[in-house]
Amino acid sequence: MLADRVIFVCIIVLTAVYFYATAQIPTLEIGDPLGPKAFPRLLGIGLLIVAALLFMEIWRARKTPPEASPQPSGDRRHLTVIGVVVAGTAVYLGVFTLLGYVIATSIYLLALMAYFHPGKWTANILTAVLFCVLSYLMFTKLLGVSLPRGVLPF
Amino acid sequence: METLTHILNGFSVCLQPINLWYTFIGVFIGTIIGVLPGIGPSAGIALLIPVTYGMNPTSALIMMCGIYYGTKYGGSTTAILIKTPGEAASVMTTIDGYEMARKGRAGAALAVSAIGSFIAGTLGVVALTLFALPLASMALKFGPAEYFCLMLFAMTAVASLSGKSPAKGMFSTLLGLMIATIGIDLQSGQPRYTMGVAEFQDGVGFIVVVVGLFAMAEVLRGMEDVFKGVAAPMIRISGKLWLTKEEWKRSIGPIWRGGIIGFIIGVLPGAGGTIASILSYTTEKRLSKNPEEFGKGAIEGVAGPESANNSDTAGAMVPLLTLGVPGGGATAVLMGAFIMYGIQPGPLLFEKRPDLVWGLVDSMYIGNIMLLILNLPLIGLFVRLLYIPSGILYPLIVAISVIGSYAINGSMLDLYLVLFFGVVGYVFQKVDIPVAPLVLSLVLGGIMEQSFRQAMTISGADPAIFVKSSISVTLITLSVVSIALPFILPRLKEWKKGAESQES
């Protein structure tokens, strides 16, 4: 499988980066005999073993004939949708403190609902706004959790 | 005798009105989380930790455990009515439960799940009560080297059992351990892997990782399903919420067997509720006189697995409470909750805070009774949750995750991390990398490194300390076996097959 080979390469890169970052940790020659680098080094060695095991798995899967592996249908539209959702969420987080919890979250929820629950405008607007206002009041006033107020006066 | 005193004292704790109230809230939220697909016990517990911060730890932990075992009751409802496991461990129930519902026996299927869950859940708590003290007193003899080996065994077992590929499971474990090394090293005071970001000096919070991997990733996957438009039609509850005499007779055996299988699997690290219910299902199918009925609405196929996944939760509490080493993802999150309240689960807890431990254990008896009531006469209320369209439900879960994660420190970085781990969890699911090992090792990572370094300090940096006692040798052997077995077993089978075909 292609995915497994990609994972294999990722593990190798990650191991190299982790070993490099471990070497950068400053050490003082006092205190415990091992210092802060020993355990991470063990983990790095562990990663190398994992890479070897994964290589074995890939190798064995190669020898056995492909057992009717479900051919990817080539339809990748859902990945685009998920990508847009992730990007949208990042934008939402970007304006979270600026606009405040209630406004930012209402807009975010409405946008998602408009796409994933289309056509039902009344239900969507009611749910999004009521949820945001009620959860804001419940968490800030009752449970003492602070959420960004943003441009709202209360 | 000593145990009896503890049990009675425990009841005096958990019967206090405030604790009864929190038991109720816990099992109530647990049932809701169980019914709702897209959010499971791990994310539910993690999201509640910041909100309950500052509460009395006993009450808070009683509530969190209530969520944990409550989800198993709720999960079956979704499995039976819409053929989607509301919670991972009820996946086997989707087979015969949904078929029963299609044949107009939804009421019976829901009833046998609730009753089986209750009987097996209570059976599990009885076993937990009996085994806790002997195990805890044995664990008192563990030194840092033994603890290190015990954690190693828990991690390797989870790694090799929780996915299709043991290598990917181990990769997930190591990632968790690596994330745990981020932050200031407690012994030397050196910052590690902080990449110059001041907030990373405190490390990456496990709540953020759990919410990302379990809630956010699940939302992304759910949205993909909504986009593709895959969903089985929902079936309304039909038939009385009770069993006929014939159904009773067929169910009682599977309930007992499922209860025993579930508890044993629960105590062992690695396997967990899903495997317990699969084992129970295959056992019942093998024992049945009419195995061809399985998959077409056999009540045994609902009674057994649903009982197994409930006694599994009680079994899983055994290593968490007595050894302080959880054996799976959800109990790891529970352990994280303990630690957030400044309580270290393990053998010493039985001496230091018997009121907390036994109050917690006894609250599980009461919680199971409450769950039976919530999930039998009142199940109609929870079923309404299933009418919430997914297109509304998933966005709301994101909003709840944002509130919960922001509540920890009021940090924007935490929110971006939730999104990051959400994407990671989504991708991992696509490429078959299990995430439970990551959560387990993230929670245990700090403690594991501490015991490793303590052991090495004791021995003067001589690694032979890890093979000095028979306990640690046994544990290391078990760890090696649990890694090697998935590689050797297929070879053995091939070899056996080859030998047989040569003979014939």
Side-chain angles (χ1 to χ4, degrees):
Chain A
M1 239 174 88
L2 177 70
D4 286 1
R5 289 173 202 191
V6 176
I7 297 171
F8 178 75
V9 174
C10 288
I11 295 178
I12 298 292
V13 173
L14 184 70
T15 314
V17 172
Y18 196 69
F19 269 122
Y20 174 77
T22 307
Q24 302 300 308
I25 300 172
T27 35
L28 305 163
E29 295 301 321
I30 49 161
D32 64 321
L34 289 172
K37 292 182 185 179
F39 190 69
R41 284 211 179 104
L42 272 185
L43 298 183
I45 295 169
L47 271 181
L48 286 178
I49 297 173
V50 166
L53 289 178
L54 188 65
F55 186 80
M56 266 169 66
E57 282 180 16
I58 295 171
W59 191 257
R60 248 199 298 168
R62 210 187 61 142
K63 273 198 293 186
T64 50
E67 39 176 296
S69 59
Q71 205 61 39
S73 54
D75 186 4
R76 304 211 160 256
R77 275 183 308 159
H78 63 271
L79 288 181
T80 320
V81 173
I82 297 302
V84 172
V85 170
V86 170
T89 311
V91 172
Y92 158 58
L93 296 180
V95 298
F96 189 66
T97 31
L98 185 74
L99 291 180
Y101 167 76
V102 176
I103 293 180
T105 312
S106 301
I107 298 172
Y108 173 72
L109 288 182
L110 262 180
L112 283 181
M113 287 175 187
Y115 186 79
F116 288 104
H117 190 235
K120 315 264 170 54
W121 280 100
T122 334
N124 290 352
I125 293 176
L126 269 178
T127 321
V129 175
L130 274 181
F131 174 85
C132 290
V133 173
L134 290 180
S135 60
Y136 181 76
L137 292 177
M138 185 176 122
F139 281 96
T140 52
K141 309 289 174 202
L142 277 179
L143 294 166
V145 170
S146 69
L147 291 168
R149 187 192 299 166
V151 290
L152 285 182
F154 57 89
Chain B
M1 202 52 222
E2 195 192 356
T3 311
L4 193 65
T5 332
H6 284 307
I7 296 171
L8 291 177
N9 282 336
F11 273 114
S12 74
V13 173
C14 75
L15 285 174
Q16 287 164 13
I18 181 90
N19 289 336
L20 281 176
W21 173 237
Y22 280 115
T23 310
F24 175 75
I25 297 192
V27 297
F28 184 78
I29 298 179
T31 307
I32 292 179
I33 289 177
V35 170
L36 292 177
I39 185 162
S42 302
I45 295 166
L47 282 170
L48 263 182
I49 295 172
V51 179
T52 56
Y53 210 69
M55 250 170 79
N56 164 14
T58 310
S59 306
L61 291 173
I62 282 178
M63 181 170 78
M64 308 255 173
C65 289
I67 296 176
Y68 173 47
Y69 54 85
T71 48
K72 301 285 156 93
Y73 278 80
S76 55
T77 310
T78 320
I80 291 165
L81 296 178
I82 59 173
K83 206 181 179 175
T84 305
E87 201 270 327
S90 49
V91 61
M92 295 316 281
T93 311
T94 57
I95 305 172
D96 283 285
Y98 188 72
E99 284 306 313
M100 279 181 76
R102 274 185 41 185
K103 288 181 180 157
R105 296 299 298 156
L110 289 170
V112 80
S113 308
I115 296 166
S117 297
F118 173 72
I119 297 176
T122 308
L123 181 81
V125 185
V126 172
L128 162 67
T129 312
L130 295 177
F131 284 114
L133 264 190
L135 254 176
S137 53
M138 194 188 88
L140 274 176
K141 294 179 196 125
F142 280 29
E146 283 82 8
Y147 254 102
F148 176 82
C149 298
L150 180 64
M151 285 182 258
L152 188 73
F153 171 49
M155 284 177 197
T156 50
V158 172
S160 71
L161 283 172
S162 57
K164 287 175 201 154
S165 141
K168 289 179 192 170
M170 278 177 65
F171 173 54
S172 179
T173 306
L174 283 163
L175 266 185
L177 288 172
M178 285 164 63
I179 297 171
T181 57
I182 296 175
I184 299 249
D185 170 39
L186 287 177
Q187 264 166 321
S188 67
Q190 297 291 344
R192 295 190 291 185
Y193 317 107
T194 55
M195 295 164 274
V197 181
E199 278 175 290
F200 277 138
Q201 292 195 347
D202 294 332
V204 176
F206 92 98
I207 296 179
V208 167
V209 179
V210 171
V211 172
L213 289 179
F214 288 95
M216 194 71 207
E218 199 55 29
V219 166
L220 293 178
R221 200 197 52 75
M223 283 175 170
E224 184 186 316
D225 285 350
V226 175
F227 174 75
K228 288 180 177 163
V230 284
M234 174 161 167
I235 295 174
R236 287 174 181 276
I237 300 182
S238 47
K240 255 177 52 181
L241 273 169
W242 202 246
L243 305 175
T244 63
K245 225 180 198 165
E246 156 79 8
E247 284 168 334
W248 260 116
K249 247 171 70 187
R250 286 172 59 182
S251 306
I252 197 73
I255 290 176
W256 284 106
R257 281 189 292 271
I260 294 167
I261 292 174
F263 184 80
I264 295 172
I265 295 292
V267 173
L268 299 174
T274 310
I275 292 184
S277 53
I278 294 173
L279 263 181
S280 160
Y281 189 88
T282 46
T283 309
E284 294 312 325
K285 194 171 174 180
R286 204 171 295 153
L287 289 176
S288 170
K289 282 175 206 136
N290 316 308
E292 71 282 353
E293 270 186 35
F294 279 73
K296 292 177 190 144
I299 197 164
E300 294 91 337
V302 179
E306 277 307 316
S307 309
N309 71 33
N310 274 277
S311 58
D312 167 79
T313 56
M317 293 298 286
V318 173
L320 172 66
L321 288 175
T322 61
L323 308 175
V325 175
T331 37
V333 179
L334 265 182
M335 170 140 175
F338 274 83
I339 294 172
M340 296 287 278
Y341 286 106
I343 290 162
Q344 178 70 47
L348 284 174
L349 195 62
F350 281 78
E351 292 181 353
K352 280 193 211 150
R353 298 289 306 273
D355 55 316
L356 187 149
V357 179
W358 292 102
L360 186 66
V361 171
D362 288 350
S363 78
M364 294 175 75
Y365 288 106
I366 303 194
N368 270 295
I369 297 174
M370 289 176 177
L371 280 164
L372 183 65
I373 298 168
L374 286 177
N375 283 274
L376 212 51
L378 299 180
I379 191 66
L381 288 177
F382 292 101
V383 169
R384 279 159 201 253
L385 287 172
L386 293 176
Y387 290 108
I388 303 176
S390 313
I392 286 188
L393 178 67
Y394 288 127
L396 291 184
I397 294 179
V398 179
I400 294 171
S401 306
V402 164
I403 300 175
S405 320
Y406 191 78
I408 315 165
N409 294 320
S411 143
M412 278 314 291
L413 180 71
D414 280 352
L415 293 187
Y416 286 111
L417 281 174
V418 167
L419 181 61
F420 172 76
F421 281 105
V423 176
V424 168
Y426 176 78
V427 173
F428 274 19
Q429 208 168 37
K430 294 271 162 197
V431 298
D432 288 329
I433 299 178
V435 292
L438 194 160
V439 173
L440 177 76
S441 59
L442 173 65
V443 170
L444 286 182
I447 308 169
M448 190 179 192
E449 181 173 6
Q450 290 307 314
S451 36
F452 175 71
R453 282 158 80 171
Q454 279 166 7
M456 292 294 260
T457 309
I458 293 170
S459 71
D462 178 9
I465 188 166
F466 294 108
V467 289
K468 276 238 168 86
S469 81
S470 55
I471 298 175
S472 38
V473 170
T474 316
L475 288 167
I476 285 191
T477 316
L478 285 172
S479 312
V480 173
V481 168
S482 60
I483 298 175
L485 215 54
F487 287 94
I488 299 169
L489 269 185
R491 289 274 162 100
L492 270 181
K493 269 185 199 155
E494 263 168 45
W495 178 77
K496 213 173 149 193
K497 230 191 234 164
E500 270 167 16
S501 61
Q502 268 184 356
E503 274 170 32
S504 58

